[in-house]
Amino acid sequence: MDHAFWYLARASGIVAWVALTASVLWGVLMATKALGRRPGPKWMLDLHRFLGGAAVVLVATHLVSLVLDGYLGYGLKELLVPFASDWRPLAVAWGVVALYLLAAVEVTSLLMRHLPRRWWHVVHLTSYLCFVLVTVHALTAGSDVANPVARGVGIAGVVAVTVLGCLRAAGWQRRPAGRASGRDRAPVPVRRNEREWTGATWADSPPPGPPPGPPPGPPTRSVPPASWQSR
């Protein structure tokens, strides 16, 4: 039990990193519509919010466990002020700055309906920077980076966020099935017997409409009845 809080701090830090990575990835998938129309937008948004909330809870557990462990002698100053820690000050400072970014993203997400859309969007984009800082913090201050499983999960998360983030920045977006832009639509096939106006005459065939009859001849006179001729 002497090292229980130390193990809890390490475990909660790693899982918080995974939850934050999953939240960022899910947000990019929603923005690019890479998953298509299903699952529904409401279900996707709920999962995105759940992952972000889980990351906040895990980060809080990580900080409280560091204080309760007592080995590093951490207090509020070391947890909230960059470079205040005597143990790897630069590595810990990355995590402190990421903590403030994560708090800003989550608070503005809860107040999204009461904030201007542009402000909320700008703050929400800092989640990418938060992910970068958390990753640097985990790689420089974490005690489990040498573990091949943790290292593999971290590399996979970084690659996935980088690729999808670049696609998002480039404006890529999957078009829903059944819809096509004017550029992507197939050309309408032209019928072989379709009329075409040349400016003076109709080419290939007469103008559209009922087919014309035989050319008119000289006017014909009706033959009078026999009774009229006999007079």
Side-chain angles (χ1 to χ4, degrees):
M1 293 298 295
D2 295 338
H3 304 286
F5 289 112
W6 173 242
Y7 293 141
L8 180 60
R10 293 165 58 186
S12 58
I14 294 175
V15 181
W17 182 23
V18 174
L20 179 62
T21 304
S23 179
V24 173
L25 285 175
W26 199 254
V28 179
L29 291 175
M30 290 175 56
T32 57
K33 295 182 175 58
L35 298 178
R37 295 181 177 180
R38 294 182 180 279
K42 188 178 185 304
W43 187 83
M44 294 176 65
L45 182 59
D46 291 341
L47 179 58
H48 179 60
R49 290 175 175 174
F50 171 78
L51 292 172
V56 173
V57 173
L58 290 167
V59 168
T61 305
H62 178 65
L63 299 178
V64 172
S65 300
L66 289 175
V67 174
L68 295 179
D69 178 57
Y71 177 76
L72 297 176
Y74 272 16
L76 292 179
K77 179 182 177 181
E78 287 76 13
L79 296 178
L80 302 178
V81 179
F83 302 104
S85 173
D86 296 331
W87 183 79
R88 298 183 182 180
L90 180 59
V92 176
W94 298 120
V96 175
V97 178
L99 172 65
Y100 289 119
L101 291 178
L102 179 61
V105 171
E106 290 301 317
V107 171
T108 54
S109 296
L110 295 175
L111 301 176
M112 180 176 60
R113 296 182 179 180
H114 306 282
L115 296 174
R117 179 73 177 181
R118 180 174 298 181
W119 292 7
W120 170 85
H121 184 65
V122 170
V123 176
H124 209 70
L125 286 178
T126 59
S127 59
Y128 293 99
L129 179 58
C130 180
F131 168 76
V132 173
L133 295 178
V134 169
T135 302
V136 175
H137 171 71
L139 295 177
T140 56
S143 302
D144 300 285
V145 181
N147 189 299
V149 176
R151 187 168 54 232
V153 172
I155 293 175
V158 171
V159 172
V161 172
T162 302
V163 173
L164 292 177
C166 291
L167 292 176
R168 179 74 177 104
W172 180 84
Q173 187 174 9
R174 177 181 176 181
R175 296 184 181 92
R179 289 186 176 183
S181 61
R183 182 181 300 177
D184 296 335
R185 290 175 182 170
V188 179
V190 180
R191 299 179 181 178
R192 298 181 60 183
N193 296 328
E194 190 171 8
R195 280 70 174 169
E196 182 180 0
W197 179 250
T198 62
T201 59
W202 292 94
D204 299 332
S205 60
T220 58
R221 299 177 61 183
S222 60
V223 180
S227 60
W228 182 82
Q229 293 179 358
S230 61
R231 294 181 184 177

